[in-house]
Amino acid sequence: MHKKALVLFSGGQDSATCLAWALERYEQVETIGFDYGQRHKVELQCRGMVLDLVRSQFPQWAARLGPDHMLDLGLLGQISDTALTADKAIAFEQSGLPNTFVPGRNLIFFTFAAAVAYRRGISVLVGGMCETDYSGYPDCRDDTLKALQVTLGLGLDTRMVVETPLMWIDKAQTWQLAHGLGGDALVEIIRRDTHSCYVGDHTTLHDWGYGCGQCPACELRARGWAKYRGEAQ
Ligand code: ZN
């Protein structure tokens, strides 16, 4: 019944792993990305690179991989004032949330993704949200996304499934999942060609990938890689 999936693909480790997960499961997979005035365009540049590498190195997946949809959501940058979209340092707000939080971002992303999916005859939306390495973003919660699945289905009057394969696994297990799906070749694409760093550093190559090595996203990625490598050896 659910043969076609649309992956919310940002160009980071999590969504790249979700892309492989979807390519392994669905007959047709399309991708969607959002330009919302991010300060750092490097993540968006990584998207195209990862898609190219998946197409060239995984012929069985290339046949299933359909168009990439890039949406301009510049208005999200206009209505938020965060460390991701404005030139300010990453810090924790009084709410306890880091100021990298764009309020309601995933609600907006999924709603736009559902509109594209509806038009394309796709009934599954795949996202890399996760409660395990929880940064406290309320729009990444399992309950939020389950409620959203119901809302989208009702609002579009069609069955819409929101899949979040990383919801209950940590970053080390995300590397393991990638390895299980695409072996060393996929792990290497994700290590070298995805981007997680909040500061946008894509010049310094560590064993876990490019990044500043200091920001919360880099710390999380480095810790997960070290744990994965420790368990793998
Ligand atoms: Zn960083």
Side-chain angles (χ1 to χ4, degrees):
M1 181 186 167
H2 300 292
K3 293 181 175 168
K4 296 165 79 174
L6 179 63
V7 179
L8 279 71
F9 180 55
S10 69
Q13 177 191 353
D14 291 344
S15 65
T17 306
C18 285
L19 174 62
W21 180 90
L23 285 165
E24 195 64 20
R25 267 165 193 75
Y26 299 99
E27 290 177 7
Q28 272 181 274
V29 175
E30 300 184 9
T31 48
I32 187 166
F34 306 97
D35 186 342
Y36 56 95
Q38 298 93 317
R39 278 163 65 197
H40 311 297
K41 300 294 179 198
V42 58
E43 202 180 49
L44 297 179
Q45 290 157 9
C46 286
R47 298 179 78 255
M49 179 67 76
V50 171
L51 289 172
D52 287 348
L53 288 167
V54 164
R55 279 200 175 88
S56 61
Q57 294 189 28
F58 296 90
Q60 75 278 25
W61 289 347
R64 299 176 170 191
L65 185 53
D68 179 39
H69 308 273
M70 194 68 202
L71 265 56
D72 179 357
L73 289 189
L75 60 93
L76 204 53
Q78 291 171 32
I79 58 171
S80 61
D81 175 29
T82 75
L84 288 190
T85 53
D87 186 14
K88 57 201 270 188
I90 295 166
F92 283 84
E93 309 278 8
Q94 279 192 329
S95 62
L97 291 174
N99 65 353
T100 48
F101 176 60
V102 180
R105 183 172 57 177
N106 285 322
L107 305 181
I108 293 165
F109 285 178
F110 269 107
T111 304
F112 276 98
V116 171
Y118 183 91
R119 207 185 62 215
R120 305 282 303 164
I122 297 172
S123 59
V124 181
L125 306 175
V126 183
M129 297 78 205
C130 167
E131 279 202 25
T132 312
D133 295 315
Y134 195 42
S135 43
Y137 295 177
D139 58 344
C140 289
R141 285 180 195 149
D142 191 50
D143 283 354
T144 303
L145 297 174
K146 286 202 163 73
L148 188 60
Q149 169 177 292
V150 175
T151 302
L152 293 172
L154 289 170
L156 295 167
D157 197 23
T158 183
R159 183 85 173 107
M160 198 58 79
V161 179
V162 173
E163 289 279 12
T164 52
L166 311 185
M167 183 57 75
W168 307 113
I169 65 176
D170 66 14
K171 282 281 178 286
Q173 291 168 312
T174 300
W175 286 113
Q176 274 166 8
L177 176 61
H179 192 267
L181 290 163
D184 290 339
L186 181 64
V187 168
E188 184 59 9
I189 290 173
I190 294 174
R191 189 185 77 86
R192 278 195 67 104
D193 298 293
T194 67
H195 182 87
S196 308
C197 177
Y198 282 150
V199 184
D201 181 339
H202 204 73
T203 52
T204 316
L205 181 61
H206 308 265
D207 54 354
W208 43 266
Y210 285 98
C212 73
Q214 309 289 327
C215 76
C218 282
E219 281 181 11
L220 191 61
R221 181 160 164 151
R223 258 203 322 272
W225 176 260
K227 191 174 165 202
Y228 163 68
R229 295 295 288 173
E231 286 172 3
Q233 281 161 12

